[in-house]
Amino acid sequence: MNSHVPQHAARRRTPLSAALLVLLAPTAALPAFAQEAEAPTNLDRITVTGSNIPRTNTETPSPVQVVTRQDIDRTGKTTVAEYLQTLTSDGAGSIPKTFGNGFAGGGAGISLRGLGAGSTLVLLNGRRMATYGLADDGQKVFTDLSTIPLDAVERVEVLKDGASAIYGSDAIAGVVNIILRTDFTGAILRGSYGMSDDSDGNARKATLTAGTGNLAEDGWNAFFSLDVGKTDGIKASDRDNRKWIGTGDLRPWGYSAGGSQFLGGAITGGGTGGGNSQVGSVFVPGTDPATLTSLPGCAQLSNVSPQDAGGGCLWDMADWRDLTPEEKYVNLFARGTFAIGDSSEIYTEFGYSKKETVFHNTPSNVSGAWGYPGGPVNANSGPGAVVLGVGHPDNPYDEPVRVRYNAADVGGRVTDNTNEFFRFLAGIKGTWGDWDYDTAYLHSSTNLVNKRTGFLRYSAVQCALGNAACPGGVWNIGLGSDANPQSLYDYISPEIRAYAKSSLDMFDFTASRGIYDLKGGPLSLAFGTEWRRTTNSLTPQTYTDVGDIIGLGYSAYDGTQNVYAGYLELSAPVLESLELSAAVRYDKYESGDDAVKPKFGFKWNPIDWFALRGTYAEGFRAPNPAENGDGGLAAFSNALDPVRCPNGTPAPGGTPDDCGLQPVAIITTPNPDLKPEESKSYSLGIVLQPTRTTSITVDAWRIKRTNEIAQGSTADAIAAGDVLRDTDLLNGVPGTGTILAINTQYVNANSSEVEGIDTDIRQDIPMGAYGDMRLDLQWSHIKKFERTEGDITHEYAGTHGNCDVTNCIGTPKDRVNFGATWNYNAWTVSGIVNYISSMDNTPETGGSKDETCLNFRADGSPAPGDCELASFTTFDLSANWKATDALEIFGSVQNVFDRTAPLDPATYGAINYNPLHFSGAIGRYFTVGAKYTWN
């Protein structure tokens, strides 16, 4: 799979073929390219991602982007995950490491075409890996990219036309195939050190790759690559010199205190809502409607100025939350290859990774709303409300009073994820007669421990605040918290844990051969079969199964899938200028779901400098255990409230703050009646070589996914009244309180349809005595991103929404990477411009921004800008100096001009900036290192 085959075949190579070989290869000197194009030679037969038929050129009907080690090195990225998330084809639903407080904290995933990490199939040397232990949003099972040592990577191939009859019909959005070295002799020691312009976020990394044995001469080769590293975390407040990045307080930019998502403590709604401050506030008895008043001590406990005009005690969440988590990891990959006679070899691979990620977040409130399998919990109001009991030191009244309090005295909430990944592969491949074959057994697993501190146990808080005789003691809040003993904090805030496991066992067999000579070459056949068993399990966080951890969602699942599959593939070069391909795959799930899915393609090369190519494929994804198994999900998101803000105008008694996105708990139950997702994908493109030094590819694509598995629409649930509301009514009108929780389940939404255009341009410029230069541009344009629910179609392209679909990252229409690499003697210098287009700050297209904008300023005007997130452009620079034949010195500067990420007040993935613009939050970042090679 995706490796050189030990036979050679003579086939005429056209100038277009030669141009594409240069396009896919590392940057090379131009004279060598020109010389190669003029003198056809025999080529090793290779396999390219998307096909298991060896071929003598790299042009296939499918669009495949090839990323070389040099491509990664020139960006200054130090991990596979960081690089892949800069690809223009990566979109909404991508999982960056900065999502440290999310359900899948500690993992990193790619989401091709914005269809979610669960719809992108990630392979290692052409085979699957066990998925990450934690599902994104508690639903989307994905492969963690951070377990692979970068120095072991030979190249990455990205199949971008969606679905794959070869690797799995569940590759609805496409395939990312990370191809590691197959042999290595000698040793390479590499070390690097990175640091931001603010002298933090220090990253230390060391890699040793060593191997011995020559397969041709000794009959064997064995090597390993060991990768260790540690990166310091960065607190959001450490960026207080970068405008809105380092603060949750958006009032300097025209927002109200209540309209600043990450500024806590404001009392809103004329005194009826908010008030979760670090001094505390209580509802005054006898007021109608119930009105909050702050407890004393704000001047001593808060440094925010000016303070809340509504009487609250403001505090800045950026003082507690990490911008990036602390990480430390070790990754190991080893491979051994042993020749058997002249035509076969046995190979074995071993992989191990251990990674710990620590993320700090804000202290917990003592009230709120959250969910568990028994339903929603309302600690704000009603019989479950948290109260200060009579006689409590902070209760000035002679009756119990409802309380709001952010427990800074307990400390911030800390999530510590430790994940171990294991992979073992043993196989044999070679030739038998006219057949090339490859068969192997694979075992892969993950074992993750999710440990959390600083969270509050609901029942213990009710006791310690409401019961003067509480066995755990009485909890003094705010100014009086210094008198609390450690034993009290141990009682109300115990350490809690969850355990996640996943495993993959797989056996596969593939074979291929040429069976008949056609005018353009041999008619080739490949077939294969596969059995795999996957297991995914997650135990719920301690006490969340009974709803006893304040503000912490519930997530649990347990299930096993056995899948049997077989495929058949044909490649028919019917003419020298025309190649046809076809494949069909059958998947049978033990649950009873099965499908036969085809893929067809063509490549027409009527003249040397032009080719037309296209594909059609169908996909199929059965529900995973998190969607239809045992368990459930209670999470948090943002939603608009049409009751408190109809048509973008505050209801009587409301304020402009009611018209922005509101934080809500969403309780989602698995659905055993779910049907599999299905898809149809299309691509049509051209490949041009107008000159020997210019290569251009343009591919239009479309993916339509039906029976899409997703959470039921929160907007529909709100409209249907399937919500839990607080008691802060508007003018006393029933059913107008703030939304606390929404009830949904996983459903087969009608469909999603995404379409766009990818452009890739490469230009080589020979500069004689001054070396040579390569210019390259990758541009992905999203023309359409529709989701149809019932009879209503929502269009998201170019907008921030929908948060249920995009992780509140949004769907920019354009992403562009433009690079220039100059080779001169021992020097290589590269510069890359990264561009992300602007987005409307709306949940979807259509409607007036005055009504649909996700955020508003204090004066009621749409925000930011005219309800638009600005475009974002950064420039990265890198250089490599080959000091001797053995020693290389390298360095890079990311975000050279220190651009600040645009203001994004709607996203919940980061404080006031969009995770897509992460480099603009951290600022200018430097990396230096050295590499020494022993041959």
Side-chain angles (χ1 to χ4, degrees), residues 96 171 188 257 329 349 359 381 407 419 473 492 577 617-618 630 697 720 734 799 860 871 932:
I188 298 175
Y329 61 86
E349 296 176 355
F359 188 89
S381 55
N419 184 53
I492 63 175
S577 61
E618 296 182 7
D630 297 326
T697 65
T799 72
S871 63
Y932 195 87

Side-chain angles (χ1 to χ4, degrees), residues 111 122 250 327 421 721 920:
S111 170
V122 176
L250 292 180
E327 291 182 326
F421 170 82

Side-chain angles (χ1 to χ4, degrees), residues 228-239:
V228 296
K230 184 179 186 298
T231 302
D232 297 338
I234 302 174
K235 290 194 173 297
S237 59
D238 292 337
R239 292 298 180 270

Side-chain angles (χ1 to χ4, degrees), residues 39 63 179-180 219 228 294-295 305 401 403 409 412 446 496 498 501 560 601 635 661 681 715 723 725-726 749 805:
I179 300 169
L180 307 185
V228 296
S294 279
L295 297 174
S305 180
V401 292
V403 63
D409 57 311
T446 64
I496 57 177
K501 293 183 178 181
T560 300
L661 285 173
S681 60
V723 299
R725 290 184 178 270
D726 204 351
V805 176

